[in-house]
Amino acid sequence: MSKIILEFDSYEEAGDARTALDGSKWKAAMWDLDQLLRSTTKYGAFEGREATAEERDIADTLRDSIRDILNEYHLNLED
């Protein structure tokens, strides 16, 4: 198994260190958002009520946009 070592030497780099350490949290948050949008489009439900047709369309569009953006950064929610 290989190792990856990230070094941050100064207080000014603390934000970069936090970003590096929080990568899995960002992925989990994006997964949760994607699942919320998926639920809206697939089951027609949003926040415990029936979603309108417009809400379902917007959720579908947003889900596609999120995946396009992630692909531009070579990221994938399924990995």
Side-chain angles (χ1 to χ4, degrees):
M1 176 182 232
S2 58
K3 292 183 182 181
I4 296 174
I5 298 172
L6 302 174
E7 289 187 25
F8 299 94
D9 296 324
S10 67
Y11 179 76
E12 291 81 24
E13 294 177 333
D16 293 336
R18 177 55 39 208
T19 298
L21 293 171
D22 285 346
S24 62
K25 291 178 186 178
W26 280 96
K27 183 175 182 175
M30 290 303 299
W31 175 263
D32 289 347
L33 176 60
D34 181 68
Q35 293 306 297
L36 173 67
L37 296 170
R38 179 181 179 271
S39 171
T40 303
T41 58
K42 185 172 183 177
Y43 303 111
F46 181 73
E47 295 183 342
R49 63 171 173 77
E50 185 175 343
T52 66
E54 184 177 62
E55 287 171 329
R56 289 192 300 271
D57 290 343
I58 290 170
D60 191 43
T61 300
L62 288 173
R63 193 166 185 232
D64 289 342
S65 295
I66 288 169
R67 289 179 178 270
D68 289 344
I69 291 167
L70 291 173
N71 284 333
E72 287 176 16
Y73 285 91
H74 306 287
L75 298 171
N76 186 340
L77 288 176
E78 278 75 32
D79 290 340

